[in-house]
Amino acid sequence: MKDPVKASLQEQLAAARRAQILDAAIKVFAQKGFHATTIKDIAREADLADGTIYKYFENKTALLLGILEPPRTRAQQDMSFLLEPDADIHSVMKAFIHQPLMAFKKDNFELFKVIVSEILVNQELRERFHQQVLGPMLQGGEAYLRHWSEQGMISPQNIDLTIRAIAGMILGLLLEQSMGDQTLEAQWDTLPDTLASLIVNGIKKEPL
């Protein structure tokens, strides 16, 4: 019978090693780009043997997806409270927007550019990104919109297109910021609330 204490320790050590490798990959990908980076580069940054990397990640694509996993997990945890029936629309929308915007703030914008450029040309990464990251994000947003529509809280609309338009705004802002927009840089932390208000309330002034 497997010792539960030993098994737990092994899991913790494996998680720590994965985090060590991913931290190194983030630095090297941001500095050199995806194609110029080698597993040897990442192993050197992590102070590990090349073979150790392959014990945890099959290739560079798996590493890139691994980098995206912690923000996605945190997003699921942070939004768990929104499953409460009295959660208001603005709070849910703000949390939905907040996670992807904050995941790539500051130094991580270089990494965002690496991910976007590689997704455009790497079919494997594109498919896995949609399956593991974008797909669950869209499905979660669709579920909220359908619930609000059924409850009469929002006007009837094309739910599938609406959530994709919202996701497109988020990705567009990330891309715009990665190109050095100074206004976005100065007000990045206020974006989730501003964008949530725009989506929920619209920009049309109601007549007095």
Side-chain angles (χ1 to χ4, degrees):
M1 184 175 180
K2 184 178 290 187
D3 184 342
V5 175
K6 184 177 180 180
S8 176
L9 180 59
Q10 290 175 336
E11 290 175 1
Q12 292 176 34
L13 290 173
R17 183 54 53 85
R18 280 177 59 88
Q20 178 185 0
I21 294 169
L22 290 174
D23 286 344
I26 289 172
K27 293 179 182 178
V28 181
F29 282 147
Q31 292 170 357
K32 302 183 66 172
F34 184 82
H35 287 289
T37 296
T38 65
I39 293 295
K40 186 180 290 294
D41 293 330
I42 296 170
R44 186 183 302 113
E45 178 68 31
D47 196 23
L48 297 171
D50 298 4
T52 303
I53 307 294
Y54 289 109
K55 290 181 180 179
Y56 297 90
F57 300 95
E58 59 184 308
N59 51 36
K60 290 196 299 181
T61 297
L63 273 164
L64 207 51
L65 286 168
I67 290 168
L68 293 170
E69 183 61 29
R72 184 170 73 96
T73 301
R74 284 196 300 270
Q76 292 171 339
Q77 294 170 344
D78 291 348
M79 290 189 68
S80 61
F81 79 96
L82 299 174
L83 298 175
E84 299 295 329
D86 59 346
D88 65 279
I89 296 177
H90 186 276
S91 295
V92 174
M93 191 59 66
K94 181 179 177 180
F96 181 81
I97 296 166
H98 178 273
Q99 288 302 328
L101 290 183
M102 295 305 122
F104 289 104
K105 68 182 299 185
K106 296 183 179 178
D107 295 339
N108 280 346
F109 281 118
E110 288 301 318
L111 180 62
F112 173 75
K113 289 191 284 188
V114 171
I115 292 170
V116 170
S117 62
E118 186 59 21
I119 282 176
L120 294 175
V121 298
N122 185 326
Q123 182 176 351
E124 180 190 3
L125 180 61
R126 186 162 58 245
E127 291 174 351
R128 293 177 64 175
F129 179 83
H130 191 279
Q131 179 184 21
Q132 298 180 29
V133 180
L134 183 59
M137 174 185 174
L138 294 175
Q139 290 170 9
E142 287 170 4
Y144 281 114
L145 290 180
R146 293 190 195 284
H147 170 72
W148 295 331
S149 181
E150 291 168 0
Q151 297 297 314
M153 299 169 67
I154 60 175
S155 59
Q157 55 197 306
N158 187 322
I159 300 297
D160 295 341
L161 284 181
T162 299
I163 195 62
R164 283 162 175 77
I166 294 170
M169 282 191 280
I170 295 171
L171 290 172
L173 286 165
L174 285 166
L175 183 60
E176 192 173 353
Q177 165 65 341
S178 71
M179 293 187 290
D181 187 288
Q182 294 183 354
T183 299
L184 285 178
E185 184 176 351
Q187 303 184 53
W188 193 253
D189 289 342
T190 68
L191 260 179
D193 189 59
T194 300
L195 192 53
S197 296
L198 175 63
I199 294 168
V200 174
N201 302 322
I203 59 174
K204 182 179 178 181
K205 184 177 180 180
E206 293 295 330
L208 299 176

